[in-house]
Amino acid sequence: MDILANFSQGLLVVLQPENLMYCFIGVFLGTFIGVLPGIGSMAAIAMILPITFYLDPTPALVMIAGVFYGAEYGGSTASILLNVPGTPAASITAIEGHQLAKKGRAGVALFSTATASFGGGIIGMVVIALLSPFLAKLALSFAPADYFAVILLGLIAASAVSNGGALKGIAMVITGLMLGTIGIDLTTGVTRFTMGVPELRDGIHIVIVAMGLFGVGEVIASIRATRSGTATQTVDYSDFYPSKKEWKSLFAPILRGGAIGSFIGALPGTGQTIAAALAYAVEKRVSPQRKDFGTGVVPGVAVPEAANNSATQTAFIPTLTLGVPGSPPMAIVIGALMIYGITPGPRLLTEQPDMFWGLVASFLVGNIMLLILNVPLIGIWVRLLNIPYKYMYPTIIVLICMGVYSLNNNVFDIWLTLVIGVVGYVMRLFRFEPAPLLLGFVLGPLMEEHLRRTMLLSRGDPMVFVTRPISATLLAITALIIVFALYSTARTHRRALAARLGSSRKEQPNEL
Amino acid sequence: MNYKAQFTGAVMAVAAAMTSTAVLAEPGAWSDEPVRIVVTFPPGGTSDLVARLLAQQLDTGFGQKAVVDNRPGAAGTVAADYVAQQPADGTTLILSNNAPFTISPTRFKSLPYDPIEDFTHVAYIGASAPGLFVQPSSGITTLEAYVAQVKETPMTYGSSGVGSISHILGEAVDAALSVESIHVPYQGSAPAIQDFRAGALDSFYDMVVQNSDMIEDGEAVALAIASPERNPQLPDVPTFREQGYDIVIENWVGLSAPAGLDPALREKIHETVLAVFAKPEVQEKLTDLGITHVAMSSEDYEALVSELIGVWAPLIEAAGIKE
Amino acid sequence: MNQHSNDPEDNGQAELAIESPAGALGWGGEIGGVLLLVLSIIFMVGGWQLGLGVPTRLGTGAFPFATGAVLAVLALAIVIAERKGDGLAETPDWIGLLAISASLAVFAIVVDRLGLVPGVFATVVVASLPDRNLSLRGKALLGIIVALGCWGVFIELLNLPIKPFLEF
């Protein structure tokens, strides 16, 4: 295998000063823009797009890629510190990350995510280097039926993301699914639930849902303490770094997250959000610390980061080798390539080996740069938490408004965020969690699209789900998971019942 | 002799002469403020790239600062509605394809703007033509063979969305051939092509030139193109017209401004834009994007838009996408 | 059991991750279920009107109806379960809700008419209105700082197409 040779060639390409510089610019820009809530990689990439016209394809691509995974990393910083996800995928990181910050362990959270992102990025890179042709072919053999099965699996995982009880969790996922139907039905072109409002034609933008549910809802919930002056958000400087045990506990989640993320990211259209959710759900089942999930656990914050960073990298595979963008920023990448007269497609690997391998090698360099850039910043970010919340929260509101407004320059979006923010606060009051809703909202329309398309293509034959090997396998796995979940719930109930009926009235103290 | 009529006629002749000399404007910057080019698609799409190309050229070639403002959504109506309300001083332009002006007015019951009254159409940039592609494994190489096959068993075809050019072409072809195919809409052409490659789709409609790689690699067979004449880049692909079906459907790209734009300003913008697209390297980039540039006057462009609304209306109704 | 807590130590931050949080109201949990039920019925009705189609060729309304139906069942289950539950997580902070909602509304209204800088200023001031620990002057100062900061970052640095000041 001359993969090593290709990779070394790519390394030589990326280590040229021009490429190095643009890699740095991309990563730098991406990180800072990603921190700003709502303004994700899209805005950043759109911003540097004009610059790419003056560049050759390789540095341009390297820079765009840097922005992409830099923004993903920056997004997690905001979600840990403020519970305002900078990107939708970061909302999973927020689950454990913000709990850690509330316990005064923001530094620990940030170190964990930095390491996890780096680890995930490296895994993603290795996967691309070794498996690109295989993954490209795999993506090609995915028919709508198979996509449906993957997304269904993702939805089951989304229900498992909830920490507050399965019933409410599933209800939230279904609610998200339901709200996702607002907008134009892609299969028939008819508008649904838009109540005549033209801005709702394309549905509610996911950034608005994320900002409203997480950001605005969180601020409303947190103001009370500020007003009465009892809020304390401390940083425990003695607990700044993860303990040795915690460093060690990062290893397995990073591997798991990176693996899941690489695979999911390579499937066009599935995206980093699904990768992060799936990884978190799996970790909850598998981690030795699973009982503590939801209270701020290091593996819980690391695994979604590893997953979404590796997904970010492998998302380039379908983009470059198939020309199918997995997400809007990838569409920009394709567009940029087309301006250079480079058509993404299976030919790209053979026709543009320098560019492709330069890009792959740039993932290594870029991730190292991210690490070097961000680790010293952790101290600064954490100091940000010492700013009294009374100054922070109006600023957060403004940042949310800016992020939302920058989507379409339309104040309607702000009003919508307001409504959703109120909903988010109400949800908190009733202890409904926003994360499963967000996931349902993202996955629902996808699932419906693929289900109906499968039916169209098979001319109404539902057996196609079982006859296609990929979908049959995935559906079988999903069924097994459901059965197992039901079984273990039944078992716990039986045990609880037995314990109550049994002898001891003494309650065992819970030893932590 | 009617002196009044003669006199009026003479005045009008002089006025015409005066305005036509004013038409010879020099290409160059027309506004001190940066010009906003509103685009109907998100960043990365073809029109977005054309807009960015134009903006860059305006800046470097003529010192006219220009920024691209993406306002995607609702088949271009969001962007068009916004631009219609802007002041007509040349600082806001919209780079659109035919959707907001020739398709949406028929397709949607009510639009907040009128495609002719509320806009000044400034410059036509170019067009690209869609065509029909089938699986190489089907063994079909001519439209005749396609017709024979489809009459027996309906085929599935992919489009880039309900109400898209590819969908309308698909319906038009069905109507002309008296067949019924199964329309499978996607979000954009890329996922459709992906399913086609995976073997799940029997056929698809998309811009022909942009898929020339697939044709060359033998991964797709192009049966016909919906342009008036064969495309010079793909001379082997016959047109629908020459095979006996008068189907001409093209996706064009053009620049427009809010209504009431000063005619002199309109001419200046027109000349400048045409100067940009006259450059060989720019034309090359356009061709790479699959767009064939044609130079046309503003008046002709305006007339074309009106004409096309009428041409597309029956197609849209036939496609059943009228709301 | 009524766990109504006016405990000043309770910093009012709803802890979602742990069941039975401190400060829970002890009543009202069913309302959440009812709200969900109402929402689900809306979508069921809407979905029905859009047409359900047949299982092999699902209509436009199939998904909304189906998800609405499942949610309705779950919502009923939640109402029943919450009877014995801990109720609302905390007493609703109406003032906070109003302040933040108003600040968002102010942003929407002012930015379009007066531009970014006045808009951000107004938003900050309105959002911080209920804060008794910050003087009015302090709020205004914060407003100015954040507004100028936004101008610098979003307009100058990021080139977002927003105008800092609009003539009225």
Side-chain angles (χ1 to χ4, degrees):
Chain A
M1 286 255 99
D2 49 354
I3 289 182
L4 216 53
N6 282 331
F7 186 76
S8 336
Q9 175 68 12
L11 212 55
L12 281 174
V13 168
V14 83
L15 286 175
Q16 286 163 28
E18 191 194 12
N19 295 329
L20 266 184
M21 180 174 79
Y22 284 107
C23 185
F24 181 74
I25 295 178
V27 166
F28 184 80
L29 221 58
T31 312
F32 278 98
I33 293 188
V35 174
L36 295 172
I39 302 188
S41 36
M42 268 299 274
I45 295 182
M47 203 178 97
I48 54 162
L49 209 55
I51 309 179
T52 58
F53 282 133
Y54 300 99
L55 299 177
D56 286 330
T58 308
L61 201 57
V62 162
M63 182 164 74
I64 295 179
V67 167
F68 198 33
Y69 52 82
E72 207 44 68
Y73 180 75
S76 59
T77 310
S79 42
I80 291 175
L81 296 177
L82 307 170
N83 206 23
V84 180
T87 57
S91 58
I92 313 283
T93 317
I95 301 177
E96 302 293 335
H98 192 58
Q99 294 302 319
L100 277 167
K102 284 216 273 214
K103 292 203 287 196
R105 309 189 73 208
V108 172
L110 288 170
F111 272 107
S112 309
T113 50
T115 319
S117 277
F118 181 74
I122 300 300
I123 294 179
M125 184 195 74
V126 167
V127 166
I128 294 189
L130 293 177
L131 295 176
S132 283
F134 168 72
L135 282 172
K137 244 190 237 135
L138 187 68
L140 258 185
S141 56
F142 259 66
D146 310 312
Y147 276 107
F148 170 78
V150 170
I151 295 176
L152 188 63
L153 189 60
L155 271 174
I156 305 292
S159 332
V161 156
S162 161
N163 284 312
L167 181 59
K168 286 189 178 169
I170 299 178
M172 282 297 104
V173 173
I174 304 282
T175 311
L177 269 168
M178 206 172 71
L179 293 174
T181 59
I182 300 177
I184 292 188
D185 172 22
L186 291 164
T187 318
T188 57
V190 176
T191 52
R192 298 191 283 200
F193 299 104
T194 57
M195 297 166 285
V197 176
E199 283 92 347
L200 286 178
R201 273 225 177 93
D202 290 316
I204 308 178
H205 199 290
I206 184 186
V207 168
I208 295 180
V209 177
M211 290 297 108
L213 285 186
F214 286 84
V216 178
E218 170 79 10
V219 170
I220 299 179
S222 310
I223 289 187
R224 167 183 267 143
T226 313
R227 280 171 30 224
S228 55
T230 55
T232 43
Q233 201 154 6
T234 50
V235 177
D236 194 351
Y237 280 102
S238 63
D239 194 7
F240 197 63
Y241 298 94
S243 69
K244 207 179 266 186
K245 204 166 69 150
E246 284 174 328
W247 281 116
K248 276 212 205 121
S249 75
L250 283 175
F251 191 64
I254 291 181
L255 276 181
R256 283 192 279 268
I260 295 177
S262 314
F263 177 70
I264 303 280
L267 292 177
T270 41
Q272 302 129 293
T273 319
I274 300 183
L278 205 55
Y280 183 75
V282 167
E283 195 65 23
K284 262 183 80 169
R285 284 272 148 203
V286 166
S287 165
Q289 297 184 40
R290 69 191 86 133
K291 285 197 211 66
D292 297 324
F293 266 58
T295 60
V297 209
V298 159
V301 77
V303 80
E305 274 304 297
N308 87 33
N309 207 13
S310 68
T312 309
Q313 327 240 199
T314 54
F316 277 91
I317 297 186
T319 307
L320 295 178
T321 60
L322 292 179
V324 182
S327 50
M330 288 292 114
I332 301 189
V333 170
I334 294 185
L337 284 179
M338 280 171 46
I339 290 220
Y340 295 116
I342 303 177
T343 329
R347 284 186 183 178
L348 197 115
L349 276 173
T350 39
E351 278 179 10
Q352 302 276 345
D354 271 1
M355 187 185 78
F356 181 78
W357 290 104
L359 180 69
V360 175
S362 81
F363 290 156
L364 177 64
V365 173
N367 274 295
I368 295 179
M369 283 185 187
L370 259 181
L371 208 58
I372 298 177
L373 190 64
N374 281 291
V375 168
L377 281 179
I378 292 180
I380 302 181
W381 293 129
V382 164
R383 245 164 273 270
L384 214 64
L385 283 181
N386 280 328
I387 299 180
Y389 198 59
K390 62 184 178 192
Y391 301 132
M392 284 301 293
Y393 85 80
T395 316
I396 297 176
I397 292 291
V398 166
L399 285 178
I400 291 177
C401 287
M402 292 304 304
V404 167
Y405 191 66
S406 71
L407 292 172
N408 290 317
N409 273 37
N410 189 342
V411 292
F412 175 82
D413 294 334
I414 304 282
W415 292 107
L416 198 54
T417 312
L418 199 164
V419 171
I420 297 184
V422 172
V423 170
Y425 179 60
V426 169
M427 275 169 58
R428 257 158 237 271
L429 288 180
F430 293 112
R431 272 177 276 127
F432 290 132
E433 282 176 44
L437 197 156
L438 190 71
L439 292 172
F441 184 78
V442 169
L443 293 176
L446 283 176
M447 188 177 88
E448 180 188 13
E449 189 186 330
H450 285 117
L451 177 64
R452 290 165 79 180
R453 189 170 294 148
T454 310
M455 284 292 133
L456 266 179
L457 287 173
S458 70
R459 297 166 216 209
D461 174 25
M463 291 309 289
V464 68
F465 288 110
V466 187
T467 44
R468 281 195 66 92
I470 302 180
S471 73
T473 325
L474 287 170
L475 286 175
I477 296 179
T478 312
L480 279 173
I481 293 180
I482 297 180
V483 167
F484 181 71
L486 286 172
Y487 173 67
S488 58
T489 323
R491 204 168 57 161
T492 3
H493 273 203
R494 233 183 309 142
R495 281 223 190 107
L497 204 61
R500 234 184 283 153
L501 291 176
S503 46
S504 64
R505 262 182 276 134
K506 266 190 291 183
E507 282 211 28
Q508 297 280 22
N510 206 347
E511 261 149 349
L512 269 167
Chain B
M1 242 203 309
N2 194 337
Y3 289 96
K4 197 165 174 197
Q6 272 195 340
F7 177 72
T8 325
V11 168
M12 286 179 67
V14 171
M18 280 176 63
T19 38
S20 55
T21 44
V23 159
L24 297 171
E26 278 295 310
W30 63 85
S31 165
D32 293 324
E33 266 185 59
V35 169
R36 261 188 313 143
I37 306 180
V38 178
V39 178
T40 61
F41 286 103
T46 314
S47 2
D48 173 73
L49 295 172
V50 174
R52 289 180 194 272
L53 192 59
L54 177 63
Q56 182 211 11
Q57 289 289 321
L58 284 174
D59 193 9
T60 49
F62 299 98
Q64 171 66 62
K65 275 219 162 306
V67 284
V68 172
D69 186 1
N70 299 85
R71 291 179 186 251
T77 54
V78 170
D81 183 26
Y82 171 76
V83 171
Q85 297 173 31
Q86 299 306 306
D89 53 6
T91 56
T92 316
L93 300 171
I94 178 171
L95 189 127
S96 70
N97 63 354
N98 48 6
F101 298 127
T102 49
I103 298 186
S104 297
T106 314
R107 189 178 158 200
F108 296 114
K109 263 196 295 266
S110 63
L111 274 187
Y113 59 84
D114 180 286
I116 304 295
E117 296 299 315
D118 293 330
F119 294 91
T120 320
H121 298 291
V122 178
Y124 179 86
I125 296 178
S128 51
L132 171 61
F133 294 84
V134 291
Q135 296 277 4
S137 55
S138 65
I140 301 175
T141 47
T142 62
L143 204 53
E144 292 311 309
Y146 174 78
V147 176
Q149 172 83 326
V150 183
K151 286 209 185 230
E152 248 185 87
T153 24
M155 284 216 247
T156 56
Y157 77 85
S159 76
S160 44
V162 173
S164 65
I165 315 263
S166 38
H167 177 207
I168 296 180
L169 176 59
E171 295 298 314
V173 170
D174 269 7
L177 269 41
S178 308
V179 296
E180 251 195 62
S181 311
I182 304 175
H183 172 223
V184 185
Y186 290 82
Q187 265 196 312
S189 50
I193 297 176
Q194 188 204 347
D195 268 2
F196 178 80
R197 278 222 183 97
L201 265 182
D202 298 328
S203 61
F204 73 96
Y205 290 90
D206 191 27
M207 303 303 146
V208 177
V209 175
Q210 282 169 319
N211 292 300
S212 47
D213 270 357
M214 280 221 308
I215 302 177
E216 274 170 43
D217 288 343
E219 292 187 333
V221 175
L223 291 183
I225 186 173
S227 50
E229 278 143 21
R230 293 196 182 200
N231 188 295
Q233 283 176 288
L234 290 159
D236 295 328
V237 180
T239 66
F240 278 101
R241 204 171 247 177
E242 67 183 68
Q243 298 188 73
Y245 304 100
D246 189 22
I247 304 174
V248 174
I249 292 180
E250 287 186 308
N251 190 12
W252 50 259
V253 180
L255 211 58
S256 311
L261 189 66
D262 181 52
L265 197 51
R266 177 203 216 186
E267 249 337 286
K268 190 158 178 87
I269 302 179
H270 177 252
E271 291 302 308
T272 316
V273 170
L274 282 190
V276 164
F277 288 108
K279 292 194 199 173
E281 64 268 22
V282 178
Q283 284 209 11
E284 206 189 300
K285 288 225 162 90
L286 270 193
T287 341
D288 275 343
L289 292 172
I291 301 177
T292 319
H293 173 63
V294 169
M296 188 187 289
S297 75
S298 303
E299 291 78 23
D300 282 347
Y301 179 37
E302 183 116 16
L304 182 68
V305 175
S306 307
E307 186 191 316
L308 283 176
I309 299 180
V311 168
W312 283 86
L315 293 169
I316 294 169
E317 310 216 9
I321 49 178
K322 202 175 151 103
E323 250 180 40
Chain C
M1 253 190 30
N2 211 335
Q3 284 183 300
H4 195 96
S5 159
N6 279 317
D7 192 351
E9 287 301 304
D10 171 35
N11 64 9
Q13 295 197 2
E15 279 168 310
L16 294 169
I18 312 168
E19 296 281 27
S20 303
L25 238 46
W27 61 271
E30 304 93 322
I31 303 180
V34 171
L35 289 175
L36 269 187
L37 187 63
V38 169
L39 189 65
S40 64
I41 293 180
I42 294 177
F43 274 82
M44 279 173 72
V45 169
W48 184 272
Q49 288 177 336
L50 283 167
L52 298 184
V54 273
T56 46
R57 200 164 186 160
L58 292 169
T60 317
F63 234 66
F65 181 83
T67 49
V70 174
L71 187 61
V73 172
L74 291 174
L76 280 168
I78 290 178
V79 171
I80 298 174
E82 282 291 312
R83 285 261 190 85
K84 299 183 233 131
D86 299 306
L88 288 172
E90 55 179 32
T91 41
D93 181 11
W94 301 109
I95 299 186
L97 185 61
L98 194 61
I100 299 299
S101 309
S103 69
L104 282 169
V106 157
F107 185 91
I109 297 173
V110 177
V111 165
D112 250 4
R113 287 176 183 68
L114 294 179
L116 183 70
V117 174
V120 170
F121 176 78
T123 307
V124 170
V125 171
V126 171
S128 53
L129 268 180
D131 189 359
R132 279 172 252 135
N133 295 313
L134 194 57
S135 67
L136 199 58
R137 213 153 47 117
K139 291 171 179 145
L141 192 60
L142 184 64
I144 295 178
I145 295 177
V146 176
L148 292 178
C150 283
W151 186 353
V153 171
F154 292 101
I155 300 185
E156 297 302 319
L157 272 183
L158 292 182
N159 272 322
L160 288 184
I162 312 176
K163 297 229 174 77
F165 292 100
L166 281 171
E167 284 94 38
F168 189 37

